[in-house]
Amino acid sequence: MARPVVGARVVVPLGTRVVTGIVMDDASAATIDDAAVKPIREVLDAEPFVPADVVGLALWTAEYYAAGPGDTITSVLPPKARGGRADAHKTIRVASITVAGLEAIAVARPFQGREGGPERPALQVTAKQREVLEALASAPDGISTPQFSARGIAADVIARLVRHGFVSVRQDRLDRDPFQTAVVQPAVVDPARRLTAEQAAAFARLSAMAEARRFQVALLHGVTGSGKTELYLRLSAAVRESGRSVLMLVPEIALTPVIASVFRHAFGERVAIQHSGLSDGERHDQWQRIRRGDVDVVVGTRSAVFAPLERVGLIVVDEEHDASYKQDESPRYQGRDVAIIRGQRANALVVLGSATPSMESYYNATIGRYERVVLEKRVLDRPLATVRAVDMREEYAERGPDVVLSRALEAALVARLERREQALVLLNRRGFATAVFCRQCAGTMDCPNCSVSLVVHGEGASRRARCHYCNYTMRVPAACPHCAGPYLEQAGFGTERVEAEVRRLCPGARVARLDRDAIRRKGALTEILSRFRAGDIDVLVGTQMIAKGHDFPRVTLVGVVSADVGLGMADFRASERTFQLLTQVVGRAGRGDEPGEAIVQTIYPDHYSIQLARHQDYCAFFDRELKFRQQMRYPPFQSLVNTIVRSRTFAGAMDDAADVARRVREGADAAGVSVLGPAPAPLGRLRGEYRAQLLTKGSNRTRMRGLLQSAIAARPDLDRRITVDVDPVSVL
Ligand code: ADP
Ligand code: ZN
C-alpha cells in the first residue's frame, strides 16, 4: 500500500469499529509503542482530499483552542451528502447544438451576395426552431431546458430539433444554487460607478498591500454607509485577476444579502457560498466545487475559513467585531483569528472591516501590528443620522411604569408613516413579557432546568412561557403555582410587545417582526427582509438581527426601545457590545437620499456606551474602554480562558472546579497566570446542571493552556463535564 499523503482519507480500525479518517500528520517520527499502532486498512485518496494547508490550519485551531483534532477536522470536512435522497443528485437536461444544427442555421439564413454555386435544398426551420438554434450556436456549454421554457419555448420545439439531429440533449448534474434562497435582492453595484475620493485612496492602499503577496493585516475602519462592500468587491476582482483566490467571510449570509448578491453578480459561476443555513447536500456540493477548483471566490460564514481553496491571496472578514465569528461549541474557534492565521500561512492580505472594530483589532492597529485604513465619511456626502436620547426615567415618572414607546418615538413613527418612509425599531430581547410574578406571594415563574425566568410569548389564550436557554415550555397558569392566588402579573417586555404597541399606535401601518422566533420557518428571514426592502413593510421591529449590515435606503428612522438591555450583563464585554449594537443600528438610518434620525430610549443616558454611540464617536469609546480593560487586566491586555465545570449538584460543580483551580494555581505564579474562582457562573444552572466557573488570565496563552490541560488530565473523570474556552467572547 502506498504511503498516504497528509489530507488523504483512510479506512482505519478504531476499537471494534472500522471508520474513515483523515491523515493529519506524517507519523514517521512518532514514538508510540508499536504494538498499540494498528495498520491502515485502505488508503482512499492518492491526492489529498483536504488540502494539506487546511489540515495544518485545523491542527493549529485544535491546539490553540484546546480542542480535539477530531472535532476540528470534522468541522473542516463537508457534511456527508445524503445519498439516495431525491435532492442529493439533482440533474438537469441541457441542450446543445450539433453539426447538423449549425448547418440548419446556415441554410435557413443563406449567405447574401454569393453568386452562382450550387443551391442547397431549403430546410424547413420554424422561427421558434431558429431561435433555439441561434441561441445554442453562441452557447458552447449548451442551454438548460428550463431556461428555454423560461423564454417561452415549448419542450416539443426542442424535441423536434432533437429528432432531426440538429440538437442533442444531455443530463447534467446540477449543483444546487444556494444563492437562490440566500439572496434577497438583485445586485446594486454598478461597475461604472466612480469610487469616492476616500474609497479610491483606501483602494489604492489595500490593492498595493495585496500585490505585495506577503502576509499583512489591514483594519478597514469605515463608518456605516461608507461603501466598504464596494471596496471588498474591487479588491477581490484585482486579486482574482492576479491569479489568486479570495475568501470573503461574513457573520451571517442571510443578514448580509448585499454582499452575497454583489459577489454573485460580479463573479457569476466562479463564486461558491458556504454557510450553516444550507442543507447538508448544498454544502457538500459547494465544498466539492471549491475543491475541484471550479471556484475562485468563496463567500461564507465562520466555517468557510476552512474552505478547501487554493492560492488564497485575500481574506476579508466583514463586520469583524461580530460575536458570531466565535463558535460556541468545540472547537471554540474565533473565525476572524483563524482567518488571520490562514492569511499568514498563505502570504495573503487579510482585511478586517467594521464601523465598530473589536477592541482587540483596533488595539492591534494602534500599536502598528495592523495597518489602519479609514473611511470617515458616508458615500455621496450623506450625513450620519442625528441621534436623540430619551431619558425613560422622566417618561416613567410622568406616564407610569408601563411605557414602552416614549412620546418622542411615537411622534417620530407617526410622522414617518405620514411621509411614507420606513422605520426600524430595535429591542434586543425576545418575547412578549420577560417575567411572570405573583402579587400575593411574590413568587416568580422560573425555568425548572436553568437559573433564568421564563419568558412569555404570545397574548391571550395562546400565551406560553418559555425558557430561552433550554426551550422548556409551559402554559401560563391562571393561578400562582406557589400560593394558588389569582394575582399573576407579567413584567418586562420584549419584541412581541413592541410590535403590539406599534400596531396599536399606527393601526393602518404594515408592521413586521424580525427575531429568532419570527424566522423559525425556513425562508422566513429572507422573506421578511425582501418585503421590507420592497417597501411592503412600514415598520420592522426586531432584535440585533435588524442592526446587521443591511442597506435599506428608505429607512429614515431608527428607534431603540431599551438601549441598556445588554449593560446589566455580568460580562466584561457588555459596554463594548452595547456601543457596537447602538452604533450599528443607528447606522441603518439615512442611507438613501433622505437624512436619518435615531431615537434612543434609555434609563442610563449618561453611560459612556450610550453617550458615545449617540455621537457615533468610536475613537472616544475605544480610549475610554481601553482604560477599563487595562485596569481590570482584560483583553486586549491579557488573554482569558474561561473554564466551566458542570455537575448535577451545586456542591459537585464547585468542588470539582476548586480541585482544578488548586492544580492550576500550583504553577500559576511561575507562568504569570492569575486564577479567578471558582465561583458560580453568572448563568449558574443550565439544562439541569450546575455550573462553576474558573477564569484564568495571563499574557501567554500557551502556558495558560498548558496549566489547564495538565490540571484536567489529572481528572479524567471530568472529561465530559468540563469546557475550556480560549479567548471567550462571553463569560456568562
Ligand atoms: P457599509 O458597508 O460601509 O456600511 P455599503 O457598502 O453598504 O456601506 O454602502 C452604502 C451604500 O452606498 C450602498 O447602497 C452602496 O451601493 C452605495 N455606494 C457605495 N459606494 C458608492 C459610490 N462610490 N458611489 C455611490 N454609491 C455608493
Ligand atoms: Zn431552561
Side-chain angles (χ1 to χ4, degrees):
M1 187 166 32
R3 194 178 182 81
V5 294
V6 167
R9 286 171 304 173
V10 287
V11 177
V12 291
L14 180 75
T16 56
R17 294 180 302 150
V18 175
V19 297
T20 306
I22 299 283
V23 178
M24 300 291 283
D25 209 349
D26 197 315
S28 51
T31 53
I32 333 170
D33 175 11
D34 273 352
V37 179
K38 293 183 185 168
I40 291 170
R41 292 263 177 96
E42 199 180 334
V43 177
L44 296 180
D45 307 296
E47 301 281 302
F49 177 72
V50 180
D53 60 334
V54 175
V55 173
L57 192 67
L59 280 173
W60 179 88
T61 304
E63 189 188 323
Y64 185 95
Y65 293 101
D71 273 0
T72 312
I73 199 72
T74 307
S75 51
V76 165
L77 289 174
K80 281 203 192 85
R82 283 160 292 168
R85 281 274 307 269
D87 71 346
H89 299 289
K90 226 181 206 162
T91 56
I92 192 169
R93 291 165 61 80
V94 176
S96 2
I97 199 160
T98 60
V99 176
L102 286 170
E103 269 179 14
I105 307 180
V107 171
R109 259 199 329 195
F111 292 114
Q112 299 292 308
R114 249 221 256 159
E115 303 204 359
E119 281 280 306
R120 280 173 164 256
L123 267 170
Q124 291 301 308
V125 181
T126 65
K128 282 271 182 210
Q129 287 173 335
R130 187 159 78 218
E131 194 185 327
V132 172
L133 292 173
E134 284 183 347
L136 288 174
S138 52
D141 294 334
I143 294 175
S144 72
T145 48
Q147 277 172 295
F148 275 123
S149 59
R151 292 186 187 187
I153 288 167
D156 67 300
V157 175
I158 294 171
R160 207 161 300 139
L161 285 169
V162 171
R163 274 203 302 280
H164 282 97
F166 294 161
V167 164
S168 70
V169 172
R170 67 171 192 273
Q171 300 278 339
D172 251 15
R173 209 185 126 185
L174 179 70
D175 284 335
R176 297 165 201 80
D177 187 349
F179 282 94
Q180 283 169 3
T181 50
V183 174
V184 171
Q185 54 138 50
V188 287
V189 156
D190 166 6
R193 179 192 263 172
R194 303 240 337 239
L195 293 180
T196 64
E198 250 191 350
Q199 278 175 320
F203 178 70
R205 275 179 72 194
L206 292 170
S207 54
M209 288 173 84
E211 264 165 42
R213 291 177 185 249
R214 64 187 164 82
F215 168 60
Q216 292 178 84
V217 182
L219 177 63
L220 177 62
H221 181 199
V223 298
T224 54
S226 56
K228 295 185 285 293
T229 311
E230 184 84 32
L231 284 183
Y232 302 150
L233 183 73
R234 300 212 184 191
L235 207 52
S236 301
V239 167
R240 206 180 144 235
E241 267 156 36
S242 76
R244 290 168 304 154
S245 58
V246 178
L247 198 50
M248 171 84 221
L249 300 182
V250 294
E252 162 73 82
I253 293 274
L255 291 171
T256 43
V258 176
I259 291 199
S261 77
V262 157
F263 273 70
R264 178 57 151 189
H265 204 77
F267 303 116
E269 294 296 313
R270 302 297 296 178
V271 185
I273 188 168
Q274 288 269 292
H275 68 96
S276 52
L278 300 179
S279 71
D280 283 357
E282 287 169 331
R283 275 166 66 194
H284 187 89
D285 288 350
Q286 296 295 322
W287 197 92
Q288 297 292 358
R289 284 181 66 215
I290 302 167
R291 186 68 191 97
R292 288 197 303 261
D294 289 354
V295 158
D296 30 38
V297 179
V298 173
V299 180
T301 46
R302 184 176 64 224
S303 63
V305 74
F306 296 110
L309 194 63
E310 314 233 16
R311 302 182 320 282
V312 174
L314 170 69
I315 306 178
V316 177
V317 184
D318 186 35
E319 309 288 0
E320 66 86 28
H321 64 279
D322 198 286
S324 67
Y325 282 116
K326 175 82 175 180
Q327 174 147 300
D328 60 8
E329 59 187 34
S330 181
R332 296 183 149 72
Y333 65 95
Q334 160 58 274
R336 174 198 62 214
D337 297 342
V338 178
I340 290 169
I341 298 300
R342 184 162 191 179
Q344 187 175 34
R345 292 168 166 230
N347 286 322
L349 169 65
V350 180
V351 176
L352 309 179
S354 178
T356 51
S358 63
M359 291 299 291
E360 285 87 342
S361 297
Y362 200 83
Y363 179 71
N364 281 330
T366 62
I367 61 173
R369 196 173 289 162
Y370 301 166
E371 194 80 17
R372 200 164 71 102
V373 179
V374 186
L375 298 174
E376 279 179 339
K377 292 197 291 269
R378 283 189 161 178
V379 295
L380 308 176
D381 287 324
R382 285 176 190 140
L384 285 169
T386 54
V387 187
R388 204 160 21 130
V390 175
D391 186 344
M392 290 306 281
R393 292 169 304 188
E394 288 169 15
E395 203 85 10
Y396 296 143
E398 288 168 40
R399 295 170 67 211
D402 206 32
V403 177
V404 173
L405 304 176
S406 63
R407 285 161 296 187
L409 183 51
E410 286 189 344
L413 279 168
V414 170
R416 286 314 172 299
L417 291 167
E418 278 166 6
R419 297 210 297 264
R420 310 210 146 274
E421 294 169 2
Q422 289 177 304
L424 287 172
V425 180
L426 171 89
L427 174 60
N428 204 17
R429 198 162 55 199
R430 291 182 288 134
F432 194 89
T434 49
V436 179
F437 71 98
C438 171
R439 263 200 292 147
Q440 183 163 290
C441 75
T444 54
M445 272 176 65
D446 297 327
C447 175
N449 312 314
C450 311
S451 54
V452 294
S453 58
L454 297 176
V455 174
V456 178
H457 287 263
E459 280 182 88
S462 64
R463 273 197 312 168
R464 287 272 184 289
R466 201 163 76 215
C467 171
H468 281 183
Y469 289 91
C470 74
N471 264 331
Y472 171 88
T473 307
M474 63 181 285
R475 286 203 23 234
V476 182
C480 171
H482 307 287
C483 71
Y487 307 109
L488 279 186
E489 279 207 18
Q490 298 191 165
F493 53 85
T495 42
E496 288 179 26
R497 172 78 185 281
V498 174
E499 183 190 5
E501 294 289 328
V502 174
R503 285 185 197 281
R504 186 189 47 75
L505 175 73
C506 320
R510 295 160 302 172
V511 182
R513 179 164 52 84
L514 192 64
D515 58 22
R516 244 193 293 156
D517 301 309
I519 60 163
R520 287 256 153 80
R521 186 172 52 77
K522 198 176 180 205
L525 172 60
T526 36
E527 185 192 310
I528 295 169
L529 288 173
S530 47
R531 275 171 53 215
F532 191 60
R533 184 175 299 282
D536 296 339
I537 294 170
D538 302 308
V539 183
L540 185 60
V541 175
T543 54
Q544 38 84 24
M545 281 183 187
I546 65 169
K548 292 194 179 181
H550 308 289
D551 189 36
F552 299 122
R554 267 178 293 182
V555 171
T556 59
L557 172 69
V558 167
V560 180
V561 172
S562 292
D564 6 65
V565 168
L567 286 178
M569 302 266 183
D571 194 309
F572 73 98
R573 288 188 210 271
S575 300
E576 180 182 10
R577 287 243 188 76
T578 300
F579 175 82
Q580 285 165 345
L581 177 60
L582 293 180
T583 310
Q584 292 284 345
V585 75
V586 163
R588 300 308 117 208
R591 296 168 71 94
D593 298 331
E594 297 300 319
E597 180 193 11
I599 293 180
V600 175
Q601 302 185 171
T602 171
I603 52 170
Y604 306 119
D606 301 326
H607 191 286
Y608 66 99
S609 292
I610 291 173
Q611 281 279 345
L612 296 172
R614 256 184 75 196
H615 297 113
Q616 296 165 76
D617 189 346
Y618 177 86
C619 294
F621 174 81
F622 174 81
D623 289 342
R624 171 80 198 248
E625 180 69 8
L626 198 70
K627 288 204 183 84
F628 160 72
R629 300 287 180 91
Q630 188 156 30
Q631 257 162 24
M632 301 299 292
R633 298 199 296 135
Y634 277 129
F637 295 98
Q638 297 238 301
S639 309
L640 283 183
V641 179
N642 186 24
T643 304
I644 300 270
V645 180
R646 301 181 300 273
S647 171
R648 287 276 148 207
T649 64
F650 176 75
M654 288 297 284
D655 289 351
D656 289 337
D659 185 46
V660 174
R662 185 180 53 75
R663 291 169 198 272
V664 173
R665 281 201 171 95
E666 277 167 16
D669 281 350
V673 171
S674 54
V675 185
L676 285 80
L683 188 57
R685 201 158 161 256
L686 183 64
R687 292 183 198 96
E689 286 181 315
Y690 288 90
R691 304 165 83 241
Q693 180 178 52
L694 197 70
L695 269 180
T696 41
K697 283 187 194 176
S699 41
N700 187 324
R701 286 190 193 81
T702 311
R703 284 196 213 145
M704 241 191 309
R705 234 180 2 239
L707 281 176
L708 274 161
Q709 279 170 332
S710 46
I712 294 168
R715 291 289 308 268
D717 59 311
L718 290 183
D719 212 32
R720 287 173 186 285
R721 293 197 282 119
I722 198 159
T723 302
V724 175
D725 189 357
V726 177
D727 299 345
V729 297
S730 153
V731 292
L732 291 186

